[in-house]
Amino acid sequence: MVMVDLGIPPGFELLSEDFDDYRAKSAGRKSGHLEKFNVTATQAILYFDSIGAGETIALHYRLRAKYPIRTRTFQSRVYEYYQPELKSVAGPVAMEVRKRRESKGGEKDGRKAGTP
């Protein structure tokens, strides 16, 4: 079993439906199948059945900013469940979310106020 521990930056929420979609799409694979996942305020832990040598998994997921913030992500890592010393780590990344500026005429970045 291969574990992926994704750090969720402060001030963000993870949209877990992206993991649900990937889990359903990967169900028939011999490797790279997402068995399950757990999401906390600071991390998402993904449980893959296996990942073959030299195999690449592309997993796209979205984060939603709750408010303007300047922050750093938490570290992320991948490791084997039964041999955690076999791992790879990605360090924190700086991020900044800015409040949208309203332009003249009540538009936010080219959109009318009140529209998503």
Side-chain angles (χ1 to χ4, degrees):
M1 180 160 290
V2 178
M3 310 292 293
V4 178
D5 185 349
L6 297 172
I8 300 173
F12 285 80
E13 64 180 322
L14 183 130
L15 303 179
S16 62
E17 61 265 21
D18 295 331
F19 293 148
D20 285 325
D21 290 345
Y22 184 85
R23 185 174 55 193
K25 289 177 184 175
S26 68
R29 293 184 181 175
K30 291 185 178 182
S31 71
H33 170 62
L34 179 60
E35 296 281 340
K36 67 178 185 172
F37 64 90
N38 296 322
V39 178
T40 70
T42 60
Q43 67 184 16
I45 302 170
L46 312 177
Y47 301 79
F48 287 90
D49 61 347
S50 65
I51 298 176
E55 185 178 359
T56 300
I57 302 292
L59 177 62
H60 301 278
Y61 62 96
R62 296 170 292 159
L63 298 171
R64 178 179 297 140
K66 297 177 187 177
Y67 41 79
I69 188 171
R70 182 177 292 163
T71 187
R72 295 178 65 86
T73 63
F74 291 101
Q75 116 177 338
S76 295
R77 66 187 180 123
V78 59
Y79 59 96
E80 288 192 31
Y81 185 78
Y82 295 106
Q83 293 180 301
E85 66 278 1
L86 297 176
K87 64 181 177 185
S88 183
V89 176
V93 175
M95 300 177 73
E96 181 178 1
V97 175
R98 296 180 185 160
K99 185 176 179 181
R100 288 187 178 156
R101 295 186 314 240
E102 288 198 32
S103 64
K104 293 179 183 177
E107 294 181 356
K108 290 183 178 181
D109 294 349
R111 294 184 295 236
K112 292 197 180 267
T115 60

